[in-house]
Amino acid sequence: MKRYNLGGYYCFWFLSFLILSACGQEHKETTKPNIIFIMSDDHTTQSIGVYGSRLAELNPTPTIDKLASEGVVFDNCYVTNSICTPSRAAILTGQHSQANGVLDLEGDLEIAEQYLPQEMKNLGYQTAIVGKWHLKNEPASFDFYQVLKSQGTYFDPLFRVQGDKPWPNNTIQTTGHSSDVITDATLDWLKSKRDKDKPFFLMHHYKAPHDDFENAPRYEEYLADTFIPEPKSLYEMGNHGSEAVRGKNDSLTRIIGSSVSERNLIRTQANNIYPDSSISRAYGNAEDIVAEDLEAWQYDAESKANASKVYQDYLKKYLRCVKGVDDNLARLFAYLEEEGLMENTIIVYTGDQGFMLGEHDYIDKRWMYDESMRMPFIVKYPKSIEAGTRSDAMINNTDFAPTLIEMAGGKTPDYMQGRSFKTILETGDEPADWPQSTYYRYWMHLAHRHQNPAHFGIRTKTQKLIFYYGRYWVDTDDPNAEWNKASWGNDFTRHTPVAWEFYDLKDDPKEMNNRYSDPAYAEEIADLKSQLLTLRGELNEGDENYPHIQKVIDEHWND
């Protein structure tokens, strides 16, 4: 009988099998991750359990907290300009406001500058955005969009979509609460509209919990009988602030910074949370405030009781909107689990800025104070991010795009000012040359009856320096200057006092004691000013094009 030597044959095919298997495994391991970037509007760290604020005991965000336990939490993430449109522009461009041209709410982002989805498409991703957009021009750089009209409505929102008509005339009308409807739209895209042969980059943006706070009816009893912990600074100013925000002898406390209490004569939270009352939208007008009104604000028993009631009602409405976001994320995450998508999907959760929840008797955002400036930032990706970790690395919203691009396998474009923190995500360690500070600038001035003076500054991990220059970015003293005089609720022509504030955040994390005039900090303040000048130069954030502002800076830099 003829015999065959099959040893070499089997050996050959066995080795071939191993090689092919290895190649297949390599292909599997190098498959690009899907990316879901989730952003809520005005969702501040104080209202997320994992950040451990006074509200954590209420357990407002169990779904987000679970996400955090499965990934990494950043404790030092900051917005560069705490207002919706500029923050979103910074995220999409990787650039600060002056570089991308979106200084304030009236800015718009050109299609050619919608860089993040463009870079993702170049890397082979299918791109989509669902929910709040708020950047005026068509989000045409995305393969798919279903976005709210402007700010959008909480109930029965109208969406702008792709179609045969020019932007923004293709619309669809929906019914229900916006958080539910936005989640439905995202799930529909994931289930039936995406190309399942491509990795996807999805921006999933909620309107909630932006004011005016309108929760789904099912949450009406949530926290109804609960006392919401109040910040001590709601009632006690201490040495917080400066003449820029308080005026001489506290005279400007009546018109600067919209308030929880009745302190601010122009806008208080009560004007926005009692829609069926006589005070709803009954704002004051800056031009009607006379000198006799500008007296230092002081609580009495009645005004303190009123402030407490407004605070309780305010926070309950806000947290009911947060609860709606959190529950809808549970729906989204359940789908990802069911479809086996969770393992290879990078999930980011953030807010477009922070938000004042009564701290220092302030509402809204805009301020450089931490509650307004600090952003939540949580990332889960089982393949490369260790669960249950935290980082105190300084990051800001211009860093988001570079990081996502590099997580997708690309390189940070030279035109982006932000830096990728991919290595921090994956190792937990800061590179030796990682920035130890972040720059902030609020370009608007006394806008929308919130009455926040224009300012810029620098924050490190332990200190903060703020310069209030108190001028609108258009020179309103110039009779030939042009600006939107019809813009709602603005007091652009008023100049406010110039002042510095310095906070030692190690000893004063609640920013209750402005130490700028303390000689003990003179050297540290001088060093921060030097760093601030350097940052302004590096980031193209100088005021060469705004000489009326540069003049104020020159005159008061050494105050």
Side-chain angles (χ1 to χ4, degrees):
M1 183 173 66
K2 188 173 181 180
R3 302 182 62 180
Y4 295 90
N5 182 4
L6 297 178
Y9 176 87
Y10 286 125
C11 182
F12 169 80
W13 281 108
F14 179 71
L15 289 173
S16 298
F17 172 79
L18 289 178
I19 292 169
L20 289 170
S21 297
C23 291
Q25 185 65 27
E26 180 182 352
H27 173 72
K28 182 178 180 181
E29 290 177 354
T30 57
T31 298
K32 288 183 180 293
N34 302 309
I35 301 172
I36 302 181
F37 181 89
I38 304 166
M39 185 162 68
S40 297
D41 197 318
D42 295 342
H43 194 187
T44 185
T45 56
Q46 303 98 277
S47 62
I48 298 177
V50 73
Y51 281 97
S53 79
R54 68 182 185 279
L55 303 177
E57 65 188 60
L58 302 175
N59 190 29
T61 52
T63 304
I64 296 171
D65 293 345
K66 183 176 184 293
L67 181 75
S69 72
E70 297 167 342
V72 60
V73 177
F74 281 82
D75 288 313
N76 278 316
C77 179
Y78 299 97
V79 69
T80 52
N81 184 350
S82 186
I83 193 72
C84 297
T85 305
S87 175
R88 292 163 191 272
I91 290 168
L92 284 165
T93 63
Q95 298 172 340
H96 286 253
S97 295
Q98 194 161 187
N100 63 41
V102 182
L103 305 183
D104 57 22
L105 288 179
E106 297 183 8
D108 57 73
L109 191 65
E110 297 294 334
I111 293 171
E113 295 171 341
Q114 295 168 14
Y115 296 134
L116 180 54
Q118 294 168 9
E119 295 290 345
M120 287 297 180
K121 284 202 282 191
N122 290 340
L123 293 169
Y125 278 76
Q126 185 181 20
T127 61
I129 182 168
V130 176
K132 184 172 176 180
W133 171 239
H134 212 207
L135 285 165
K136 293 188 180 179
N137 290 318
E138 181 182 12
S141 292
F142 291 87
D143 296 311
F144 172 89
Y145 63 81
Q146 182 173 331
V147 295
L148 294 171
K149 177 184 176 182
S150 187
Q151 180 60 46
T153 59
Y154 266 110
F155 287 97
D156 304 335
L158 181 76
F159 287 92
R160 292 169 171 170
V161 296
Q162 290 136 315
D164 297 333
K165 302 174 186 176
W167 166 269
N169 297 316
N170 300 291
T171 61
I172 56 173
Q173 182 66 56
T174 63
T175 58
H177 189 271
S178 69
S179 296
D180 300 336
V181 173
I182 288 167
T183 306
D184 289 343
T186 282
L187 289 172
D188 179 61
W189 183 82
L190 286 169
K191 292 174 182 178
S192 60
K193 292 185 172 68
R194 68 183 174 94
D195 181 348
K196 296 184 180 180
D197 292 328
K198 283 187 174 183
F200 62 81
F201 171 66
L202 167 66
M203 302 191 87
H204 174 77
H205 292 177
Y206 288 109
K207 170 185 172 62
H210 189 282
D211 70 359
D212 302 328
F213 316 106
E214 296 180 56
N215 52 272
R218 64 183 180 273
Y219 298 113
E220 204 56 40
E221 298 304 313
Y222 175 62
L223 300 173
D225 300 320
T226 301
F227 179 81
I228 310 298
E230 299 176 344
K232 184 178 179 182
S233 62
L234 173 59
Y235 305 109
E236 298 179 15
M237 184 70 80
N239 191 39
H240 167 79
S242 61
E243 188 174 317
V245 301
R246 296 174 64 163
K248 289 184 178 179
N249 301 316
D250 280 358
S251 58
L252 292 183
T253 55
R254 306 310 307 276
I255 64 171
I256 297 293
S258 50
S259 58
V260 174
S261 74
E262 300 159 90
R263 170 183 58 77
N264 192 293
L265 296 170
I266 298 172
R267 181 169 183 167
T268 74
Q269 193 60 281
N271 297 135
N272 289 81
I273 60 173
Y274 303 119
D276 299 326
S277 72
S278 61
I279 60 173
S280 179
R281 308 280 179 173
Y283 305 121
N285 295 307
E287 60 268 25
D288 296 334
I289 306 299
V290 296
E292 290 75 21
D293 296 323
L294 299 180
E295 297 179 352
W297 165 255
Q298 290 186 347
Y299 279 105
D300 57 23
E302 181 181 5
S303 60
K304 189 171 183 178
N306 287 340
S308 181
K309 179 183 180 344
V310 171
Y311 173 85
Q312 293 296 318
D313 293 341
Y314 164 30
L315 266 290
K316 288 175 184 180
K317 285 177 176 286
Y318 179 88
L319 291 171
R320 286 166 187 159
C321 291
V322 168
K323 177 68 170 170
V325 167
D326 197 74
D327 286 350
N328 271 291
L329 289 178
R331 283 207 297 146
L332 174 59
F333 297 161
Y335 170 78
L336 296 176
E337 291 283 6
E338 291 165 7
E339 295 298 309
L341 292 170
M342 193 65 89
E343 188 70 19
N344 193 43
T345 299
I346 298 168
I347 299 176
V348 175
Y349 185 80
T350 189
D352 57 350
Q353 59 254 325
F355 205 70
M356 307 299 295
L357 296 179
E359 298 85 5
H360 313 296
D361 191 26
Y362 291 140
I363 61 176
D364 204 67
K365 51 264 185 179
R366 306 165 191 259
W367 297 106
M368 195 180 162
Y369 305 129
D370 264 15
E371 294 87 358
S372 166
M373 181 189 183
R374 190 184 188 197
M375 306 172 78
F377 200 82
I378 296 164
V379 190
K380 175 185 175 181
Y381 183 44
K383 289 188 176 181
S384 64
I385 296 174
E386 185 177 352
T389 59
R390 297 186 85 107
S391 173
D392 70 344
M394 299 284 294
I395 62 173
N396 67 51
N397 56 337
T398 68
D399 299 323
F400 297 174
T403 303
L404 295 175
I405 289 166
E406 293 201 3
M407 293 291 284
K411 293 183 178 180
T412 299
D414 291 339
Y415 58 79
M416 289 190 175
Q417 295 174 312
R419 293 179 49 161
S420 169
F421 50 90
K422 178 176 180 285
T423 59
I424 300 175
L425 287 172
E426 296 175 340
T427 67
D429 299 325
E430 293 181 42
D433 63 345
W434 191 254
Q436 297 300 297
S437 64
T438 188
Y439 179 77
Y440 178 88
R441 184 163 190 175
Y442 177 68
W443 282 86
M444 300 176 77
H445 177 65
L446 304 185
H448 306 147
R449 293 189 169 94
H450 285 297
Q451 299 299 106
N452 308 74
H455 57 285
F456 61 73
I458 183 172
R459 193 201 194 281
T460 70
K461 291 181 180 180
T462 59
Q463 296 177 327
K464 181 181 293 183
L465 183 69
I466 309 172
F467 179 66
Y468 286 93
Y469 56 90
R471 305 290 188 274
Y472 185 45
W473 59 269
V474 176
D475 184 2
T476 58
D477 292 338
D478 180 353
N480 298 314
E482 295 182 2
W483 70 91
N484 183 6
K485 295 179 176 66
S487 184
W488 179 82
N490 293 322
D491 191 18
F492 293 156
T493 61
R494 184 192 302 267
H495 302 330
T496 52
V498 179
W500 289 91
E501 296 178 18
F502 168 80
Y503 297 98
D504 181 348
L505 302 172
K506 298 189 301 297
D507 299 328
D508 181 28
K510 302 299 183 185
E511 298 171 307
M512 293 296 290
N513 190 9
N514 175 15
R515 307 294 293 273
Y516 183 76
S517 298
D518 188 338
Y521 289 97
E523 288 187 13
E524 292 167 82
I525 290 170
D527 179 60
L528 284 175
K529 284 187 179 182
S530 177
Q531 292 184 51
L532 183 54
L533 280 175
T534 299
L535 276 176
R536 281 169 55 78
E538 291 175 349
L539 298 173
N540 187 33
E541 279 288 321
D543 285 278
E544 296 82 3
N545 297 325
Y546 308 96
H548 66 295
I549 297 176
Q550 187 62 52
K551 183 173 184 289
V552 174
I553 296 170
D554 292 341
E555 290 176 353
H556 294 276
W557 191 258
N558 294 316
D559 284 0

